[in-house]
Amino acid sequence: MQELWTQIQAELETAVDAADYASWLAPLQAMRLDDTELSVGVPTQFMLDWVAENYQDIFNTAVSKVSGKDMAVTFCVVPISMASEKPKLPDNFLPEKIEATPEEGIEAQLLGGTALNPLSTFKAFVTGNSNAVAYAAASRIAEAVCAGETAAYNPFFLHGGVGLGKTHLMHAVGWEILAKNDKLKVLYISAEQFLFRFIRALQSKSTLNFKETFRNVDVLMIDDVQFIAGKGATQEEFFHTFNTLVSMGKQVILTSDRSPHDLDRVEERLKSRLGSGLTCEVHAPEVETRLAILEQKAALLGLELGRDVIEFMAQNIVSNVRELEGALNRLAAHAKFVGATITLEFAQEQLKDLFRSQAKGVTLDDIQRQVAEFYTIKIADLHGPRRQRQIARPRQVAMYLCKKLTTRSFPEIGRAFGGRDHTTVMHGTKAVEKLLVSDSTLAEEVRLLERALS
Ligand code: ADP
Ligand code: MG
């Protein structure tokens, strides 16, 4: 068995990132092997959930490749003390090396958290309709923390799509607080790191220390908490930490890609707890804000761009700020490389793949027309309220294609479907993504539609 396991491990190692391998797969052990099944021991329930959710397919492939037959791979929790050999601690997921004893090391790192990005300040944040409320709320939080009056806004929950400035605003709050009072302990950590460190604490039996550390901060900022949703023990631990801090009057700041209410696999009581402070959404920037952001960032890069270029970019790159930055960086790199001044033609040429879908001219209308025709329903039904499956499914497929083939935001797509809420679009898109894996008929339909639209 051990030999087979070593080969399986080698397969797995080539199939995933080195860091992921070290964090999640290296600590696993083969427990039992028979003709049809390999049972794999995982140190904690949390890791088990994670591994089963993320690596089951990779496991199946590796195992059938090595054993030459289809075998079931099952996971079971095997606490470390019972396992034959102590699992290797996943030690390369931490950015810094631990110098002190394990407990002190963890504590020192936790207090350090991850460094705040010096570029992510309030001053560097361009506001417009899409984000002014979030900006105002974030600066209010910074003030409130310094004035010691957190109660009214705890937690501050900032949500919105990817690349819209959530992390930026969170760091800005951190900087602002530290600028006013550098005695305050501000801890910024991604939800992912929170999980990693919690597991480490479990493995080294130092959860008390882990908890103590969090109790010692004045402001706890956890980025992308959607990542914790549905993660069993870690989710519980997170909410304990969270409740403790809030009840001690410490400020908790959270970001997520969706509202507390829309978090999957989180108990109702926790959702309502998360939404019980100040909740705020950042939206995709509208064209004026995109213009302002481009101007500001071009200046920072020392990039001289004509009004025509800036307008062209603002018109065509619509989904998020990170893409605007990406486009600017690309222009800056190319301009430096070839020493060209950036004309409109140059920009169009360099950036054309970024908005291929616009260039191809696929519009939300096109997609709706094509989908309606394909499923022989009326376009009006895509906009209308009917919820029967034969209407609802094509509607979700159309939403999915709109998201995939255009750069329209969820709210924009929602408006094109009879004024539906963006969360409905998110839900629909996700539902289709999930089904594509299991439903081969649907996958084929979507493939045909995509081809017809391209
Ligand atoms: P999120 O956390 O919402 O995915 P980020 O905060 O990482 O997004 O933002 C992505 C990039 O866009 C960052 O480099 C950030 O500084 C920049 N950015 C986002 N919104 C703005 C804004 N309003 N003004 C200036 N830069 C912004
Ligand atoms: Mg972020």
Side-chain angles (χ1 to χ4, degrees):
M1 174 171 86
Q2 211 46 49
E3 193 179 314
L4 185 81
W5 179 241
T6 310
Q7 288 176 34
I8 292 170
Q9 282 186 307
E11 274 303 315
L12 294 171
E13 209 167 349
T14 61
V16 306
D17 266 12
D20 289 344
Y21 181 81
S23 307
W24 302 108
L25 302 178
L28 310 187
Q29 318 205 15
M31 300 308 296
R32 203 165 32 83
L33 175 73
D34 61 29
D35 270 357
T36 57
E37 184 182 333
L38 169 69
S39 168
V40 177
V42 189
T44 67
Q45 181 62 43
F46 163 70
M47 282 184 85
L48 189 150
D49 293 345
W50 182 262
V51 169
E53 187 173 321
N54 294 281
Y55 299 109
Q56 180 85 57
D57 292 346
I58 292 176
F59 253 103
N60 292 346
T61 314
V63 171
S64 65
K65 192 161 167 193
V66 170
S67 70
K69 57 189 174 193
D70 266 346
M71 280 183 18
V73 181
T74 56
F75 301 102
C76 55
V77 176
V78 179
I80 292 160
S81 54
M82 281 170 59
S84 50
E85 174 200 350
K86 203 170 160 45
K88 281 166 257 162
L89 276 183
D91 50 22
N92 71 348
F93 59 67
L94 291 174
E96 323 90 326
K97 273 264 171 287
I98 296 177
E99 302 293 347
T101 66
E103 286 86 345
E104 282 165 2
I106 286 170
E107 178 162 316
Q109 291 193 4
L110 281 167
L111 281 178
T114 306
L116 299 173
N117 180 344
L119 300 176
S120 298
T121 60
F122 279 127
K123 211 164 147 240
F125 193 82
V126 178
T127 55
N129 287 336
S130 55
N131 58 25
V133 173
Y135 178 93
S139 18
R140 180 72 197 103
I141 293 296
E143 255 174 52
V145 169
C146 292
E149 33 179 82
T150 54
Y153 313 106
N154 221 351
F156 177 40
F157 193 104
L158 187 59
H159 65 97
V162 62
L164 298 182
K166 300 182 298 295
T167 301
H168 185 136
L169 277 177
M170 202 181 213
H171 285 202
V173 172
W175 286 123
E176 185 75 8
I177 291 170
L178 292 172
K180 288 193 175 133
N181 182 352
D182 63 7
K183 301 266 172 334
L184 289 175
K185 295 202 196 96
V186 176
L187 175 62
Y188 167 82
I189 185 172
S190 68
E192 204 167 359
Q193 283 169 359
F194 182 91
L195 300 195
F196 285 156
R197 290 170 193 204
F198 178 59
I199 299 166
R200 264 188 94 99
L202 282 178
Q203 292 184 337
S204 60
K205 303 211 176 8
S206 55
T207 46
L208 269 179
N209 254 303
F210 176 86
K211 288 179 209 212
E212 257 324 287
T213 306
F214 281 101
R215 280 163 204 236
N216 282 332
V217 306
D218 298 299
V219 181
L220 175 63
M221 306 195 287
I222 303 190
D223 211 353
D224 292 317
V225 289
Q226 74 275 359
F227 192 79
I228 288 177
K231 298 295 184 314
T234 314
Q235 177 175 311
E236 276 299 311
E237 184 55 37
F238 161 69
F239 289 112
H240 282 312
T241 307
F242 164 77
N243 277 329
T244 311
L245 284 172
V246 171
S247 67
M248 290 165 80
K250 311 286 183 78
Q251 180 70 46
V252 177
I253 304 178
L254 307 167
T255 72
S256 160
D257 67 352
R258 63 204 81 176
S259 74
H261 177 74
D262 293 324
L263 286 170
D264 294 332
R265 293 181 299 156
V266 172
E267 286 170 47
E268 277 313 317
R269 77 183 159 102
L270 301 176
K271 286 187 193 176
S272 74
R273 195 81 186 77
L274 288 177
S276 65
L278 177 59
T279 299
C280 212
E281 181 171 5
V282 267
H283 300 275
E286 65 287 11
V287 66
E288 296 81 16
T289 315
R290 299 202 292 273
L291 283 168
I293 289 173
L294 284 165
E295 270 164 5
Q296 187 227 48
K297 306 235 173 228
L300 280 176
L301 286 168
L303 196 62
E304 276 177 41
L305 296 179
R307 190 70 200 168
D308 54 345
V309 175
I310 296 222
E311 277 176 6
F312 164 74
M313 293 173 78
Q315 294 296 344
N316 287 286
I317 304 168
V318 298
S319 55
N320 70 53
V321 182
R322 192 168 292 143
E323 283 190 0
L324 290 174
E325 286 184 341
L328 280 173
N329 287 335
R330 189 189 292 188
L331 286 187
H334 282 286
K336 210 190 239 159
F337 200 55
V338 298
T341 42
I342 297 171
T343 60
L344 181 57
E345 293 70 41
F346 181 79
Q348 284 168 335
E349 178 59 28
Q350 295 305 327
L351 302 177
K352 64 174 182 242
D353 61 301
L354 287 183
F355 24 81
R356 209 175 327 138
S357 46
Q358 271 107 342
K360 259 187 327 200
V362 180
T363 64
L364 303 187
D365 281 347
D366 294 336
I367 294 172
Q368 294 184 342
R369 200 172 325 112
Q370 191 77 43
V371 169
E373 191 180 311
F374 186 87
Y375 288 106
T376 56
I377 58 174
K378 298 200 200 70
I379 293 182
D381 279 334
L382 291 177
H383 299 171
R386 292 178 59 194
R387 300 173 77 164
Q388 291 89 330
R389 195 191 169 87
Q390 67 270 31
I391 305 291
R393 178 73 78 229
R395 190 186 289 131
Q396 290 183 327
V397 167
M399 288 174 174
Y400 166 84
L401 289 170
C402 288
K403 191 63 203 164
K404 179 155 183 206
L405 302 179
T406 76
T407 52
R408 300 292 145 194
S409 66
F410 285 121
E412 281 172 306
I413 296 171
R415 280 194 287 279
F417 283 81
R420 286 184 156 76
D421 193 65
H422 71 281
T423 54
T424 310
V425 183
M426 277 168 70
H427 174 77
T429 324
K430 247 186 9 206
V432 173
E433 274 167 10
K434 261 208 194 117
L435 279 172
L436 286 179
V437 181
S438 56
D439 182 339
S440 57
T441 315
L442 183 78
E444 181 60 17
E445 291 168 0
V446 168
R447 208 176 57 77
L448 287 172
L449 278 164
E450 270 188 59
R451 198 189 301 153
L453 283 162
S454 69

